[in-house]
Amino acid sequence: KEKTHIRFNAEWLSELSFADLIKLASNFTIQQFISRENFKLRWENGDAIYLHETFYALMQGYDAYALRADVQVGGTDQLFNIVTAARKLMNFLGERPNIGVILDILPGTDGEIKMSKSLGNHIPLLSTPEDMYGKVMSIPDKAMGKFFRLVTRWTPAEIKEIEASLVTGNQHPRDVKMRLAHEIVSIYHSAEAAQQAQDAFIRIFQQGNIPEEMDEYQLKENQTVLDVLVENQLVGSKSEGRRLITQNGVRLDGDTLNDPNQIFP
């Protein structure tokens, strides 16, 4: 930490003049932006693409120049900003272009789209061991490979061995996912907390037992199932709560609740 410096890009971006912006923008073509997947899909669908959205790539590229960055690390969604914009601007401004290290995007608990709090498919880093363990266990089997590579301490050789065992049937996907959940909870909490979370998961979800300790909550008049989930912080957002309910992930006294707007009597 003592070698880490935090900078705010207002230091240099606020000093750029309109003439500076024109010079920076002259390094790019409209075609370069429209050909990007995100813009391309919106263009083809007739959705609005605002001019200021193109500024982000210029700003990120100028950030790299201002910091004289040697390396930038980012996800595949930052490929254009890091590899194209930053390197082009650094070269244009007389600096040696940085090196881009591009990583895959971690999918959310739905296993489809990138993990995002606003989309309600995220696993909070500050959640309890039990909550974190349970959310990892909820990801689809097909997403496990990306979690192996992006959020564990396992080596490529270990991952290769695990995936081979899944193909041959030597290991059940559920058992591998439990190992994955244990690893992730161990990283953000501890090995002891991970084991306790695993024991609780087995006791509640596999053996069907009632938790040893349960919080109490006094229902309010006309509260819906979704209201109760959000108010008790059982979900991160209403969208996450709706998804959980529609996927039959919420039960009351053993009965599955499938209507987010159901009002408790």
Side-chain angles (χ1 to χ4, degrees):
K1 291 184 179 180
E2 62 274 8
K3 294 184 179 180
T4 301
H5 298 274
I6 298 176
R7 303 280 297 275
F8 295 90
N9 59 7
E11 292 178 32
W12 48 85
L13 293 182
S14 62
E15 295 179 356
L16 291 175
S17 67
F18 189 62
D20 293 329
L21 289 176
I22 292 176
K23 291 177 182 177
L24 295 178
S26 68
N27 288 275
F28 304 93
T29 67
I30 295 298
Q31 289 90 334
Q32 283 179 301
F33 288 99
I34 295 179
S35 63
R36 297 175 61 187
E37 183 177 7
N38 181 38
F39 285 171
K40 182 180 180 182
L41 291 175
R42 289 161 60 189
W43 181 276
E44 292 175 349
N45 292 332
D47 297 330
I49 299 175
Y50 294 93
L51 182 61
H52 74 272
E53 294 181 73
T54 63
F55 296 173
Y56 187 87
L58 272 68
M59 291 188 293
Q60 187 169 332
Y62 194 81
D63 288 346
Y65 163 74
L67 292 170
R68 305 302 192 265
D70 295 314
V71 177
Q72 275 197 84
V73 181
T76 52
D77 58 341
Q78 299 294 312
L79 181 64
F80 180 85
N81 299 340
I82 293 175
V83 176
T84 301
R87 290 176 60 84
K88 183 181 285 290
L89 288 184
M90 292 180 80
N91 187 65
F92 172 71
L93 295 169
E95 287 294 326
R96 184 174 62 179
N98 66 185
I99 295 171
V101 177
I102 307 301
L103 303 175
D104 206 348
I105 297 294
L106 182 68
T109 50
D110 52 13
E112 295 292 340
I113 54 180
K114 69 178 181 179
M115 187 177 290
S116 168
K117 182 177 181 180
S118 61
L119 296 175
N121 67 349
H122 73 304
I123 303 175
L125 297 181
L126 300 180
S127 61
T128 64
E130 291 77 14
D131 180 63
M132 184 177 289
Y133 189 98
K135 281 184 166 61
V136 175
M137 289 300 296
S138 73
I139 67 172
D141 294 350
K142 65 180 181 180
M144 287 197 293
K146 287 191 175 182
F147 276 75
F148 294 163
R149 290 169 172 80
L150 296 176
V151 293
T152 74
R153 296 165 292 191
W154 299 339
T155 65
E158 290 174 315
I159 294 172
K160 183 178 180 180
E161 181 179 347
I162 293 171
E163 291 183 327
S165 70
L166 287 170
V167 173
T168 60
N170 289 336
Q171 288 197 77
H172 192 282
R174 179 203 59 214
D175 298 331
V176 172
K177 198 178 298 181
M178 290 178 69
R179 182 180 170 188
L180 172 66
H182 191 286
E183 163 70 3
I184 292 174
V185 175
S186 294
I187 293 171
Y188 292 100
H189 292 279
S190 68
E192 293 75 18
Q195 189 59 50
Q196 291 173 4
Q198 181 166 289
D199 292 341
F201 183 88
I202 292 173
R203 184 173 63 252
I204 298 169
F205 295 100
Q206 293 187 359
Q207 298 176 354
N209 294 333
I210 296 176
E212 295 176 351
E213 296 183 8
M214 296 178 65
D215 295 331
E216 293 185 4
Y217 176 74
Q218 186 67 42
L219 281 173
K220 300 174 184 176
E221 187 177 357
N222 294 324
Q223 271 197 310
T224 66
V225 175
L226 187 59
D227 292 334
V228 173
L229 292 177
V230 172
E231 188 160 327
N232 283 276
Q233 298 182 339
L234 297 174
V235 293
S237 64
K238 285 192 173 183
S239 58
E240 180 183 357
R242 290 191 186 92
R243 179 181 59 80
L244 192 63
I245 294 170
T246 57
Q247 292 179 355
N248 300 322
V250 177
R251 291 189 296 274
L252 175 63
D253 295 331
D255 297 325
T256 300
L257 305 180
N258 49 33
D259 180 6
N261 299 315
Q262 176 181 338
I263 298 176
F264 288 104

